């Protein structure tokens, strides 16, 4: 089987790899680039723990091939903090107790910060709809909604 | 005796003791994606393991051909039952002293059972290798119905047990059978329902896994593992693998960050043992991370109780007796993680919040061709099952007698002045105020107005229901005279050391999987010592450093390890007092403790802070006293603790589709004194979602061939933020009189209380049509079938 | 979780993609088109499908157009579901497409999933087929000999089978611009967000002079292929758009279904849901035809 040389810009840095066609993007991120903040929680594209921003769009990285990301931009949770300053969404999650075990949290935050890019003042219903592809077992979602609202207020 | 901590916390925001909603110390790494979960860990030379699983629920293994798999590039070895049999590791004990296959040599007994393991250089090759292992099976008849399993003459499943002639595991009972039978005979009103709670699965977002790393040169085994009970695992490994040379001082279990446990990460899964054997044989670290379908189909399930539940009362609605007969489906072996003397867990809490005259409950456990387990998914050792039974049957009685369900409960509650209360089935409830919690819930939701609205809607043919659940929880296992797991008593521990500069490190025998121990334990110690919680480093999970404990599950951490932290801190305070007395040149009795410092009585300018005492412990301690400032405490709880609550749920039913919409859900919880209100609320929110899920969505079923019908997230329906309503919470505070800080534990209260509240609400919406009971999950189809039968479907 | 191995191709033009399909087909190799991948990759990860070749069309420029011209809404092969949801023209004039896109999987999947892929996959459980049947869309299949137009009602031939030839790519969907006095709606019953439909009903009505001039009804996941409820459509013609009419049409639509019993419901439940949802979709379509939301 052929392998492919790909170049992906991850959190602003251009990274290269030689990959099998079937390598999933989430494995490229975790295993090859060793950015382990993006997590794997299922095998049927349901849980959203693997959510990253692919050219700005929140995407389940378990259902994209690494080769599809060649020449494109990927943003992971590791790219949220800039110059030692937390992103408003990270601060929101911490202030509002929007996480417990932390496993779904990176995916939740990537989806949420993409939401806030397009919607500066989302309603509760809009937030719940936006995160409906991200499963959480710990929080019961109430504080996640509050975390996003907290971040939205901070960004406004 | 601890007093209530309502109102302002005693300590400043800086010290941040009890009652502060301190932001969590574990969050900074999680929000940066720098958690250290099992699959994030990479060791040099690490190999990957993937498991071949049986498609059949019951079959003889005719042949396992590994030749194709061994030719797959990257595959190094295939381990089978025969490999392990050579080390006598193919079977292992379960936590309930039954036996469980690690890898089979004769037959498989549930679909997705582990059959062989492929070890490869990377996970992609391991997956290819798994596909290339050729197994020939000879299917055997399957038993999936526990009643059929218990019929005389049924096929014996456990052919590995010499002399075993049936599929009956054990019989358990509690209470007075004769007196209860008499009470039912004499009763004016009787109700009976068959209540089935189906199998469900915790489905924490992180699945299970481990990295087993045997260092040949040192003879030391280190296993990084998703486990809620690392020390218990270490001892089990030492007992199970002692004969192959693994000795307890050379076994280290490390539980890193865990992405949700909920009881599903307590059992010793075959994958852990196989990976360990592989590492010993190959001399390299072996990583095994199960995927979601393996997790759902093979790991410890929860519930699966068939409960014939009866309640009787006099003509005025005074409940007289409760009788429950249960068949418990355990899968092919009893691998429930119960304390050893409690095969049915704490099911005998089923008398709940009520003063009954008599009660009797019995249970028979059966083997079936399904995965083992039973105690998981925040069930608090079967309290979810018990609470569901009593709270459902109380509502059945209310509807049958046409008494308002709130009124019936209030009439029969144990009074707030009747504690400690000895229940008919042997428990001594420490404290409670059931009427108080229910009244608060009713006020918060506007109960009377809702009943008015319901009457108006009914007249228009609209279906609206109000469901109440008033539950009593029982947590904090447990006192050594009754509780042990595989013989190990269920104490828990804290080891606290204060450094010269007045900061501290505290280690525990428990293991948080998201409950916030790094924060709450620091707050407990801060409360006792006055050292700011932010300066107290909390660690758990590494058996090489943490004091021995039984782990975190069944809401036991605050009642046991939290208490240990208090006792250890007080030992430290006692020593610090001696040091302060020495430094201030007064007698110990002349000193008063104010948070963080010792003050001479009547001379407030003469004082020593805890920090000054700490420094002196290393630089200027009294002659004859040991240096240092530390203490360890192993806490043997005198009793369990009994959190409680009242939940009220309002639902509206779509007459066209049968869909149930939760309009409102109010939860009033009482977990005694609260360490961190923000964290307690979070536990309740999460528990409510995990109570709603089985009430409306989640269910594992098997067809008659033992095929799992919900083996992936396609059909095992975990709720999203769209299905989950906005939870409204409140609390009352009724401290535990025997716990050093009056705290009780709260992690599972909401999973206990939510399903009955929701089920009661749906039944209440249909009660006027004569409906008395619906088994969970209450799917739209189930509701629609009822609407159709009653002639009210759109 | 991990697909079997395959060769990956990323052509940069449509002729190149079609050429590859032809060449591989002739060599007896199985090749699948990768557009959004949100249906295909999950199948590969479970190893339910093991094509030897994936042809990724995402590198081909000019396939993501979504425009209305000459009275037709035209969308290319790479129009994502999310693009439908945010398109001003779709939001203004094609609410039925918004209804449909909004209930496909979840928002993350919709960022990658394509509308054309939702049709080409041939899954009776996908949502757009019913809608396209109701609104009378056409699809364009492009092969080595050029493009041909296929009415959607001839497109779904059997379970997971469409009228696409092995060497054709579905390159465009064409939807006639809705005439005045028309309205459409799609209603889906799902067990939770992200699930396939227990049942789904698309309704499109053209109402003039107080009566229904034309009607389209499509049904999701109620048979081996997406269903066009022609009997119900015929019944509606010339009738008043009222509740009694819709109830009768809904009964006929339900009678056209042949659902499989499964965890989503029994045959009886699903057929009744087909009826209830059709009735609700018709009511909503009529409401929109009258200028309502």
């Amino acid at each position: 089987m052929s392998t492919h040389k790909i170049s992906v810009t991850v959190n602003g840095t251009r990274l290269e790899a030689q990959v099998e066609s079937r390598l999933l993007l989430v494995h490229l991120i975790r295993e090859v680039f060793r950015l382990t903040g993006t997590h794997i929680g299922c095998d049927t594209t349901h849980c959203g723990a693997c959510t990253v921003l692919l050219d700005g769009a929140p995407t389940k990285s378990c259902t994209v091939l690494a080769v599809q990301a060649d020449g494109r931009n990927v943003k992971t949770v590791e790219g949220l903090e800039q110059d030692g300053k937390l992103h408003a969404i990270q601060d929101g999650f911490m202030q509002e107790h929007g996480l417990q075990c932390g496993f779904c949290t990176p995916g939740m935050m990537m989806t949420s910060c993409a939401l806030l890019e397009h919607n500066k003042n989302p309603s509760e219903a809009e937030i719940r709809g936006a995160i409906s592809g991200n499963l959480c077992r710990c929080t019961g979602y109430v504080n996640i909604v509050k975390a996003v609202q907290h971040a939205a207020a901070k960004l406004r | 005796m601890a007093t209530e901590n309502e109102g302002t916390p005693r300590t400043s925001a800086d010290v941040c003791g009890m009652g502060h909603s301190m932001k969590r110390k574990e969050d900074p790494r999680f929000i940066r994606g720098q958690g250290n979960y099992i699959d994030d860990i990479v060791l040099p030379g690490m190999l990957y393991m993937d498991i071949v699983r049986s498609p059949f629920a019951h079959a003889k293994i005719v042949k396992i051909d590994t030749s194709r798999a061994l030719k797959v590039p990257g595959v190094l070895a295939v381990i089978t039952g025969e490999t392990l049999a050579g080390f006598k590791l193919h079977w292992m004990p379960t936590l309930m002293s039954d036996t469980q296959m690690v890898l089979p040599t004769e037959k498989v007994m549930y679909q997705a059972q582990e059959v062989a393991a492929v070890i490869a250089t990377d996970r992609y090759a391991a997956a290819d290798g798994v596909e290339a292992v050729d197994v020939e099976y000879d299917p055997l008849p399957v038993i999936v119905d526990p009643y059929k399993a218990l019929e005389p003459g049924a096929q014996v499943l456990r052919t590995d047990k010499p002399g075993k002639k049936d599929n009956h595991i054990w019989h358990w009972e509690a209470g007075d059978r004769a007196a209860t039978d008499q009470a039912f005979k004499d009763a004016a009103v009787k109700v009976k329902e068959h209540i089935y709670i189906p199998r469900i699965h915790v489905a924490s977002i992180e699945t299970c896994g481990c990295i087993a790393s045997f260092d040949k040169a040192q003879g030391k085994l280190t296993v990084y593992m998703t486990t809620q009970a690392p020390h218990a695992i270490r001892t089990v490994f030492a007992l199970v693998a002692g004969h192959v040379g693994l000795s307890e001082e050379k076994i280290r279990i490390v539980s890193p960050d865990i992405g949700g446990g909920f009881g599903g990460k307590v059992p010793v899964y075959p994958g852990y043992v196989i990976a360990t054997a592989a590492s010993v044989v190959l001399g390299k670290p072996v990583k095994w991370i199960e995927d979601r379908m393996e997790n759902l189909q093979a790991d410890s399930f929860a519930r699966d109780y068939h409960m014939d539940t009866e309640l009787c009362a006099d003509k005025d609605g005074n409940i007289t007796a409760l009788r429950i007969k249960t068949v418990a489906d355990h899968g092919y072996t009893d691998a429930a993680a119960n304390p050893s003397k409690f095969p049915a867990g704490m099911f005998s809490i089923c008398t709940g919040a009520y003063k009954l005259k008599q009660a009797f409950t019995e249970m028979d456990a059966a083997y079936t061709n399904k995965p083992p387990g039973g105690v998981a998914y925040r069930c608090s050792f079967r309290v979810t099952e018990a609470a569901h039974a009593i709270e459902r049957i109380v509502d059945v009685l209310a509807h049958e007698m046409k008494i308002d369900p709130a009124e019936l409960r209030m009439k029969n509650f144990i009074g707030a002045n009747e504690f400690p209360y000895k229940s008919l089935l042997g428990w001594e409830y420490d404290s409670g105020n059931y009427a108080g919690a229910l009244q608060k819930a009713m006020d918060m939701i506007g109960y009377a107005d809702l009943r008015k609205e319901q009457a108006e809607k009914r007249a228009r043919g609209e279906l609206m229901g109000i469901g109440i659940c008033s539950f009593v929880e029982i947590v904090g296992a447990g006192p050594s005279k009754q509780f042990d797991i595989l013989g190990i008593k269920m104490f828990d521990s804290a080891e606290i050391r204060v450094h010269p500069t007045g900061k501290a490190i505290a280690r525990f025998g428990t293991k948080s999987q998201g409950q916030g121990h790094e924060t709450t334990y620091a707050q407990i110690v801060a409360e006792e010592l006055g050292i700011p919680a932010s300066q107290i480093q909390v660690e758990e999970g590494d058996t090489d450093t943490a004091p021995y404990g039984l782990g975190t599950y069944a809401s036991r951490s605050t009642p046991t390890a939290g208490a240990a932290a208090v006792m250890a801190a007080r030992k430290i305070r006692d020593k610090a007092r001696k040091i302060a007395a020495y430094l201030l040149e007064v007698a110990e009795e002349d000193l008063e403790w104010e948070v963080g410092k010792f003050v001479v009585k009547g001379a407030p300018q003469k004082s020593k802070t805890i920090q000054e005492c700490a420094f002196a412990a290393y630089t200027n301690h009294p002659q004859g006293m040991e240096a240092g400032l530390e203490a360890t405490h192993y806490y043997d709880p005198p009793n369990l603790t009994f959190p409680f609550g009242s939940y009220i749920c309002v639902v509206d039913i779509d007459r066209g589709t049968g869909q149930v919409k939760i309009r409102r859900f109010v939860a009033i919880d009482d977990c005694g004194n609260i360490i961190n209100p923000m964290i307690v609320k979070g536990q309740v929110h999460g528990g409510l979602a995990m109570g709603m899920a089985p009430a409306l969505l989640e269910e594992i079923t098997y067809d008659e061939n033992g095929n799992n019908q919900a083996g992936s997230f396609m059909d095992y329906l975990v709720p999203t933020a769209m299905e989950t309503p906005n939870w409204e919470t409140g609390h009352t505070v009724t401290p535990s009189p025997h716990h050093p800080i009056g705290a009780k534990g709260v992690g599972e209260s909401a999973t206990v209380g939510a399903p009955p509240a929701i089920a009661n609400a749906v039944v209440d919406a249909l009660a006027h049509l004569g409906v008395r009971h619906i088994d969970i999950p209450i799917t739209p189809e189930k509701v629609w079938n009822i609407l159709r039968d009653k002639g009210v479907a759109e | 979780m991990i697909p079997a191995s395959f060769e990956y191709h990323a052509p940069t033009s449509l002729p190149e993609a079609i050429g590859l399909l032809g060449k591989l087909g002739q060599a007896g190799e199985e090749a699948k088109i990768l557009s959004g991948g949100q249906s295909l990759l999950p199948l590969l990860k479970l190893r339910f499908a093991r094509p030897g070749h994936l042809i990724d069309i995402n590198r081909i420029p000019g396939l993501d157009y979504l425009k209305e011209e000459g009275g037709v809404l035209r969308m290319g092969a790479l129009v994502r579901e999310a693009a439908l949801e945010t398109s001003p023209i779709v939001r203004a004039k094609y609410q039925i497409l918004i209804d449909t896109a909004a209930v496909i999987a979840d928002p993350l999947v919709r960022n990658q999933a394509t509308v054309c892929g939702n049709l080409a996959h041939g899954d009776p459980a996908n949502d757009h087929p019913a809608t396209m049947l109701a609104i009378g869309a056409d699809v364009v299949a492009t092969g080595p000999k050029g493009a041909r137009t296929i009415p959607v009602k001839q497109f779904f031939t059997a379970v997971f089978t469409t009228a696409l030839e092995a060497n054709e790519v579905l390159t465009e969907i064409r939807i006639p611009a809705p005439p005045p006095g028309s309205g459409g709606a799609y209603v889906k019953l799902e067990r939770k967000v992200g699930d396939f439909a227990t049942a789904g009903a698309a309704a499109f009505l053209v109402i003039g002079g107080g009566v229904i001039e034309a009607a389209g009804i499509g049904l999701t996941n109620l048979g081996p292929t997406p269903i066009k409820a022609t009997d119900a459509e015929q019944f509606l013609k010339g009738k008043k758009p009222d509740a009694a009419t819709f109830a009768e049409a809904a009964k006929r639509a339900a009678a056209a279904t042949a659902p499989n019993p499964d965890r989503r419901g029994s045959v009886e439940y699903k057929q009744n849901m087909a009826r209830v949802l059709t009735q609700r979709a018709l009511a909503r379509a009529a409401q929109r035809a009258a200028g309502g939301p």
Side-chain angles (χ1 to χ4, degrees), chain B residues 545-567:
Chain B
T545 50
Y548 203 101
L550 272 288
T552 295
Y553 42 83
S555 309
R556 67 185 297 274
S557 299
T558 295
T560 60
V566 173
M567 305 311 282

Side-chain angles (χ1 to χ4, degrees), chain B residues 581-595:
Chain B
Y582 168 74
L583 294 174
L584 291 165
E585 295 174 325
V586 297
E588 282 186 60
E589 312 80 73
D590 295 335
L591 288 173
E592 246 162 15
W593 167 257
E594 288 169 19
V595 179

Side-chain angles (χ1 to χ4, degrees), chain B residues 277-360:
Chain B
S279 181
V280 172
V281 165
L282 295 170
K284 291 243 170 68
V286 174
K287 175 184 269 192
W288 168 65
I289 308 290
E290 59 175 10
D291 65 27
R292 176 58 61 188
M293 290 170 68
E294 296 180 283
N295 171 262
L296 290 174
Q297 293 179 33
D299 289 355
S300 180
F301 72 92
R303 318 288 190 274
D304 220 346
Y305 266 19
H306 303 255
M307 308 178 289
D308 284 305
T309 309
E310 304 173 83
L311 201 62
C312 63
D314 68 18
K315 61 174 174 47
D316 299 319
N318 295 301
I319 301 173
T320 39
L322 170 73
R323 184 164 60 192
I324 307 180
K325 184 174 160 69
T326 304
V327 168
D329 185 336
H330 270 260
Y332 92 98
T333 188
D334 189 353
N338 280 315
S340 68
K341 299 181 183 64
F342 295 86
M346 310 290 122
F347 189 79
S348 48
I349 195 67
C350 54
T351 53
Y354 309 104
K355 287 164 68 161
L356 312 178
K357 298 250 176 359
Q358 297 295 343
F360 176 72

Side-chain angles (χ1 to χ4, degrees), chain B residues 93-97 232 236 239 338-340 484-489:
Chain B
T94 71
L95 293 172
M96 287 308 289
S97 300
V236 167
L239 296 173
N338 280 315
S340 68
D484 68 89
I485 292 194
L486 279 185
I488 306 169
K489 298 295 183 185

